[in-house]
Each structure stands twice: as C-alpha cells, then as structure tokens.
Amino acid sequence: MGAIGVETGEVGVEDAEAACVEVVRPGMLTTVQDWPGRVGYWHVGVPPSGPMDDLSFRLGNRVLGNAEGAGGLECTLGGPALRFAEARWVCVTGAPAAVTVDGVPVELWRTVLVSAGGVLDIGTVLGPGMRTYVLIEGGIELPEYLGSIATFTLGKFGGSAGGALRAGERLPLGAPTRRIAPAVPMGDQPVFGRRWELAVTEGPHGAPEFFTRADFDTIIGTDYEVHFNSDRTGVRLIGPKPEWARTDGGEAGLHPSNIHDTAYSVGALDFTGDTPILLGPDGPSLGGFVCPVTVVAAERWKLGQLAPGDAVRFVPIRREHAAPLAALGAGRRAAWPSVLSVGGDGDDGVLRRADVDDEIGVTYRRAGDDGVLVEYGAMTLDLGLRARVHALHEHLLAAGVRGVTELTPGVRSLQIRVDPRVLPIPTLLRLLAEAEQHLPAADELVVPSRTVHLPLSWDDPSTREAITRYMHGVRSDAPWCPWNIEFIRRMNGLTTVDDVYATVFGAEYLVLGLGDVYLGAPVATPIDPRHRLVTTKYNPARTWTPENAVGIGGAYLCIYGMEGPGGYQFVGRTTQVWNHRATESPWLLRYFDRISWYPVEADELMDMRADFAAGKVDVKSEDGEFRLADYRRFLADNAASIEEFRAVQADAFTAERESWRLAGELKD
C-alpha cells in the first residue's frame, strides 16, 4: 500500500483531504495494522507485527470488499472515536464492545454505513476477549516501512507516526470498494470465552532432552492463567514450575531453560527461566530459552484475545491436522470452543536426525506447523557449527526455494519458515537432506569480517536504574542483584570487578546472530575463549531494559536494540545499532563482524547517541575476513592456557550453582 498524495496522479488534493478519517479520541491503545505485516526481516530482529487476532481483522476486510490484509485498526481494551470526511462502510469485529454511529448503537460483525461528518465510536471492550478491530471500506493507506504499514510501537515505526493513534491526526483511506456482504456469517465468527484451548505442535525443544516427561504432561494437562503483565510481545502465563531434565544450560547459562541463542516462532511457548510466555507478533526473533510447544498458525488469533485471568489449555495435535491459515470460514474451526484432537505427533518435536560427517550430527526440529529448526552438533559453543549454519543459509538464499518465507540463523541453528501450501514440511526436509551434499567443508569457510569499533559506557547509570526497577517491581532477592558486574565476577572466578572490565575491553566479539532482542541487536561471543565470561540470564526476566544496554548471558554478549524486556547481565551501554533514518538496511552490524569496545563516560555517550539519532552516524571499522581453518589453529596453539582459564571458570560456576541449590533456586 502506498501513501495517497498529489504525486501519484490518482487522487487530487481535494480528494485526498476528503478520503480520510479524523481521530477525535484515540482510545486506550489503538494502532494501525495490516496483514501479514512486516515479513522477511525476522533475521534482523524485526517482528511481523500486524493484527494480533488476524482472523477478526481479515474477516472484517473481506465483507467490505477490501484485500484481506488492507490497513485497519486494532483497539486494545477500549477503542477510538473517528470522524469520517466522506461516507464509508465500516465493519467492527473482535471482542465485544459498545459501538455507536452518531450515538446510535450498532452491531459488531456487520457492515455499517457512516455518513460524511459522522462519528464512529468504539467503547470499552466488554469481554470476553481483549481486542476489537475497525475495518474501513478502502482500507487505511499510509507510507510503508520495510514493506508494511503495521505499527511496531516498541520499534517506533509503522502506522502514521510509529506509535498509537493520537487525537487530531488524520488517517488517509484508499479508494472505495464494493461492499461484499451485510455481515460476517455467524458460522465464520470466532467464539470467545474465559477458558481457551490452543492447538499446539510438539517442539522444538521438549522432553526428554530439556523437560522431563512429567513436565511435558503438566504443560499439556494444566490450565494456565493469563498474567496481567501481557501485551503484543508475549502473553505471560501463571502455572507450575518445571522440574527440568537438565541441571543447567552449560555455556548457555546457569538455568536449565538456557540454550544457545536460536530463532523463535510466533506462538511458541517460551520458558524464560521458569516463567512460560506465549510469544506474540511483536515478540523477539532470537533468544536463548527453550520452547516445548508451538501454537499452530491458524490458532494464533486466540493470543490476541487472551485477557488477564483467562484460563489456557494446550492441546497437542498432529501437524497435518492443523487448520489452514488461509481459511476464513468453517475450515478455520474458529467457531468451535474446543480443539478436537486424537493426540500430537508423539515425536518430541524431533523430525529427523542425521550425520553430517564423522564428528557433526544434524537435528531437524519442528517449529510449529509452518517451520523447521535445523540444529548442528552438540549443545556447545563451537564456531565451526556457526560456520556450518552460515553455509546452509547461503546455499538456501542462492537456491531461492519457492515457499520459504524467512531464514533466521542462530548460534548453531537455522530456522526456516515456509508457506506449507507451497512448500510442505516433508518436502522441505527432503530438500535440506539434499542440501547437505552440496555444502562446503567448514574448514574451507572464509567470510567477510569487519572490525567495528563501538563506545561502551561501563556500568552506565541507565543499567543501574534498570536493576533498581527490577528489584522494586519484579524480584529483590535475585543472586545477580544489586550489581550485575559483581555477579559476573563471582560466576567466573575473577579476583576483582576490574578483571571483568579488562576482559570485556580486551575481547573481540564475533557477531553470530542479529535481532537478539530486536532491531539488529547482535548476539556475539569473544573469538578468544579466554575472554568468554559465562553467566546466566535473569529469572524471571526484566520488564524494562534501556535501549542499547550491553549485557552478557551464557557465553554471549548482546546489545539491546530497543527498550523492552530482557535477561542478560548488564555491563554498560553503547550507541544505537539501528538507524531509523535509513529506508533500506537500517541495521548497523553484519554476521561475522567483530565488535571491539572502547571506553567512554556516560555523558559522552549521551552526546554520541544524540548525534546518531540526528543522522550523524560515524562508526569506525576496518575490513577483514574470518577463516575457520586459521581459527582452529589458534585454538590448538593456545589449548593449554584456554583449558586453564576454563578450569577456573568451571569451579566458580559449580560453586555458584551449589549456592543456588542451597538457596532453593534450583531443584536437586
């Protein structure tokens, strides 16, 4: 959808003025969305956004004669009042709410004509449900950002101004269409309730590798409660604490929920420590926590209607029994209050295992009914595995396989999302098996590798503030409080916090993934294992993290791309890694870049951040390359001192884990 303007030659100035709606009252949280949203940028931490309840949104567009994905409004808890400059048909769908046109009550799910000068008023959501949708004949038309007008409020882009509606703004509309029907048929309308059943597929990370069998039985046999602290990034749930099949996550972190960073799926049940969260359409693309089940694509509309206090039950189904996402009628089965199932796939989410060579194996895991997660090797930090991921990623990009919608690399994994109508999962598995025969040996890998110099404000005041907020609002007795850097020192057996400082500033961090907590944020690890400080992630996670905070989780370092939740242990803050002024490729870093830090004071950093925001992007870098064969020789030449460092670190790690066990943080 393009913006309407004089230069298009389609709509004159007077017409452009008329074809709009004015926001009289913005509502509690009303945003412009389109469907399917911002597809194709998951690998750099840009979520799809779009309507959280795609079904209600698309049904409303369809009866108006719009394209299913045409721009409309999502209203959370309460809606806006809109004045129409010209007569248009509208359809309000989703959760029940009081709706009037010029003060006269009208029904949801019906097409209603609003006259020129008329006011459509969406009141408070009455429930059950959480979100109401306003679809307008012709759709809302605004300038696109990365291919979509969907609003991503955390990223501050999409919609008319990157956020929720504001009083007084005008939303331009597309050309009038022909109304298709007077109402959405009753049989097509989704059913709402206070207890929800969600159809899920097993995997990617289930029992018995990560969860016990008893844990998995609990996950699918328990009614979880929706927590009040839920939003479009994820629906937080209240439920039993897992027993876990592992004692810890090793190099990925102290808690058994920790894994080496991998791509997430929208609809995945993500255990951030012991807290289960259903990831939403504004959720993170990459992270280091396990997900035992994933809501199938056709059922994810329900996430948008889960309200605090609602009950949620997960029902395993077989992948081939999932309703098609394209279905908007009876085939979607949205009018059924229960999920009918004869059971799940019964394979723990593991689709296939194979050997790449004598040393490396590959596991293909189910990532919902529309994705596969390819994992190489054992659960260890090995840059050779990342090299293999890179080779597969490059091969698939070059092949241009029809039906592939997203390719997102992690540390030792590659997530492949598909349109199952075009590329069924069994066909994808055959293609992946064939691809292995064409990949180069890892030792042959040579990739561009810039050295990028970034400022770091050590122990920045903003990160101190985040810790204080966490202690006051989430948890005050956490082992990493009140000072993350001291916790890092203790976990790694270092003598002083100055040793932590020297280790961080002496390291070169190799970028293994982008979008770890949004918007081009890198997950990186020191090239030299003697610089790899190992720690664990917050449990439960923080609810607020300052933009561009720098933290360590497991053996990885992350720069937070924007404000939001998080779990890495803070060491400081840096400048932006996402250029909002850029219209193409706004991410600063690339895979296999090397980050080198230099120290700055907090005030100096604030000046740098202001310059960056004003478009004065001045980052020093030098070109280079990364050769895996050379790196392996470096490891062999320094094996003795690397092992000595790891031994001290392991002793400290074990001591910390024992103190956690005695304090009740971990189960025996």
Side-chain angles (χ1 to χ4, degrees):
M1 302 170 202
I4 296 177
V6 177
E7 63 275 11
T8 64
E10 298 176 0
V11 181
V13 175
E14 292 183 3
D15 291 332
E17 287 290 329
C20 70
V21 293
E22 178 189 356
V23 179
V24 179
R25 186 191 70 247
M28 297 185 68
L29 178 60
T30 306
T31 57
V32 175
Q33 301 293 344
D34 63 7
W35 186 85
R38 206 163 273 107
V39 178
Y41 297 93
W42 200 237
H43 65 292
V44 288
V46 179
S49 299
M52 202 166 181
D53 173 359
D54 78 282
L55 181 59
S56 295
F57 187 93
R58 293 162 65 194
L59 284 169
N61 266 328
R62 186 173 68 171
V63 294
L64 290 169
N66 295 340
E68 287 180 14
L73 299 178
E74 177 178 272
C75 317
T76 304
L77 293 176
L82 306 171
R83 178 177 289 111
F84 285 67
E86 67 177 30
R88 290 289 175 118
W89 289 93
V90 301
C91 185
V92 181
T93 65
V99 181
T100 63
V101 174
D102 293 333
V104 178
V106 298
E107 295 182 43
L108 273 72
W109 303 100
R110 299 192 65 84
T111 52
V112 178
L113 183 63
V114 182
S115 61
V119 174
L120 173 70
D121 194 308
I122 314 298
T124 302
V125 170
L126 304 173
M130 188 80 170
R131 290 172 174 85
T132 300
Y133 293 88
V134 180
L135 294 313
I136 303 170
E137 178 191 10
I140 296 171
E141 292 202 344
L142 290 165
E144 295 180 346
Y145 182 80
L146 298 179
S148 171
I149 66 170
T151 306
F152 180 37
T153 57
L154 290 175
K156 301 176 183 177
F157 52 72
S160 60
L165 292 194
R166 300 167 299 174
E169 68 176 305
R170 295 173 183 267
L171 302 174
L173 302 177
T177 58
R178 182 176 61 84
R179 184 176 57 130
I180 299 299
V184 176
M186 286 289 295
D188 295 351
Q189 295 176 25
V191 64
F192 296 85
R194 297 293 185 187
R195 182 183 182 276
W196 301 80
E197 291 190 358
L198 302 182
V200 298
T201 53
E202 300 172 37
H205 297 112
E209 293 175 85
F210 305 92
F211 295 86
T212 66
R213 291 290 183 198
D215 286 336
F216 191 79
D217 290 342
T218 297
I219 289 168
I220 63 174
T222 298
D223 275 11
Y224 287 83
E225 180 184 342
V226 177
H227 192 275
F228 69 88
N229 188 14
S230 299
D231 55 26
R232 286 177 51 89
T233 64
V235 179
R236 190 176 295 238
L237 302 176
I238 302 169
K241 182 178 179 179
E243 296 179 358
W244 300 104
R246 310 183 299 167
T247 57
D248 58 63
E251 290 175 297
L254 187 58
H255 195 275
S257 67
N258 298 162
I259 57 173
H260 298 280
D261 282 44
T262 188
Y264 289 136
S265 303
V266 175
L269 181 64
D270 183 31
F271 273 82
T272 58
D274 298 312
T275 303
I277 299 176
L278 281 166
L279 299 178
D282 283 356
S285 63
L286 197 69
F289 294 106
V290 292
C291 302
V293 296
T294 306
V295 180
V296 300
E299 293 266 303
R300 292 172 196 161
W301 69 268
K302 296 178 180 178
L303 272 62
Q305 300 299 351
L306 296 177
D310 285 359
V312 176
R313 174 68 68 99
F314 301 108
V315 182
I317 68 169
R318 296 180 64 85
R319 173 192 52 78
E320 61 267 26
H321 293 166
L325 181 63
L328 293 183
R332 189 71 171 263
R333 303 197 286 270
W336 300 3
S338 300
V339 174
L340 302 183
S341 173
V342 295
D345 288 282
D347 55 12
D348 303 315
V350 177
L351 298 170
R352 182 183 298 169
R353 296 185 194 271
D355 291 327
V356 171
D357 53 33
D358 293 340
E359 297 181 357
I360 300 175
V362 60
T363 302
Y364 301 95
R365 299 184 185 273
R366 184 183 297 103
D369 63 320
D370 56 355
V372 169
L373 184 69
V374 183
E375 284 187 348
Y376 286 111
M379 188 66 74
T380 58
L381 174 50
D382 180 349
L383 296 185
L385 301 181
R386 182 60 182 88
R388 189 75 184 184
V389 169
H390 180 78
L392 178 61
H393 187 198
E394 291 293 306
H395 175 84
L396 293 176
L397 285 174
V401 181
R402 184 170 175 267
V404 172
T405 59
E406 302 271 6
L407 293 169
T408 308
V411 170
R412 49 182 285 271
S413 61
L414 179 68
Q415 186 196 78
I416 305 163
R417 305 222 67 80
V418 301
D419 180 345
R421 297 173 302 172
V422 179
L423 182 60
I425 298 298
T427 304
L428 173 62
L429 290 173
R430 289 195 295 272
L431 291 174
L432 291 173
E434 293 171 4
E436 289 296 333
Q437 310 305 315
H438 301 286
L439 300 186
D443 273 354
E444 298 174 8
L445 181 79
V446 180
V447 296
S449 178
R450 300 180 303 170
T451 299
V452 181
H453 301 273
L454 294 178
L456 180 63
S457 169
W458 184 255
D459 198 18
D460 190 79
S462 66
T463 61
R464 287 281 194 158
E465 179 187 350
I467 297 170
T468 300
R469 289 194 193 187
Y470 181 82
M471 293 178 67
H472 288 168
V474 181
R475 184 180 178 191
S476 61
D477 63 342
W480 44 85
C481 293
W483 192 18
N484 290 177
I485 295 174
E486 165 58 24
F487 177 68
I488 295 171
R489 181 207 65 77
R490 189 172 75 235
M491 277 205 67
N492 288 273
L494 300 178
T495 305
T496 69
V497 292
D498 288 341
D499 295 329
V500 181
Y501 179 98
T503 303
V504 170
F505 281 100
E508 277 192 330
Y509 288 86
L510 190 69
V511 174
L512 304 182
L514 294 172
D516 190 2
V517 204
Y518 303 108
L519 301 192
V523 57
T525 195
I527 294 176
D528 187 338
R530 294 166 296 189
H531 291 150
R532 286 180 192 159
L533 300 174
V534 176
T535 183
T536 196
K537 306 177 184 82
Y538 280 41
N539 177 30
R542 291 183 302 274
T543 56
W544 180 76
T545 302
E547 182 186 56
N548 306 130
V550 179
I552 296 174
Y556 302 104
L557 176 139
C558 169
I559 302 171
Y560 285 81
M562 62 187 196
E563 289 187 8
Y568 281 38
Q569 305 291 335
F570 293 122
V571 294
R573 194 184 191 196
T574 187
T575 50
Q576 296 89 325
V577 292
W578 187 271
N579 182 6
H580 282 273
R581 289 175 172 265
T583 56
E584 295 182 6
S585 303
W587 48 95
L588 176 69
L589 298 167
R590 309 168 189 165
Y591 301 125
F592 289 92
D593 275 352
R594 307 169 190 235
I595 300 172
S596 178
W597 300 111
Y598 63 91
V600 295
E601 297 298 323
D603 291 346
E604 186 180 359
L605 178 67
M606 294 303 291
D607 291 339
M608 291 178 167
R609 292 181 56 78
D611 287 344
F612 194 106
K616 302 173 185 177
V617 181
D618 184 18
V619 177
K620 180 183 175 183
S621 67
E622 297 95 34
D623 291 335
E625 59 186 20
F626 176 82
R627 293 177 174 268
L628 186 62
D630 292 347
Y631 178 66
R632 286 179 167 170
R633 280 192 291 272
F634 166 81
L635 294 180
D637 292 343
N638 295 276
S641 60
I642 291 171
E643 184 56 36
E644 181 181 350
F645 172 84
R646 285 176 169 167
V648 173
Q649 192 177 61
D651 288 344
F653 189 93
T654 301
E656 184 68 22
R657 184 173 61 191
E658 178 62 15
S659 71
W660 281 32
R661 187 187 66 80
L662 294 174
E665 288 281 332
L666 299 174
K667 291 189 176 182
D668 293 331

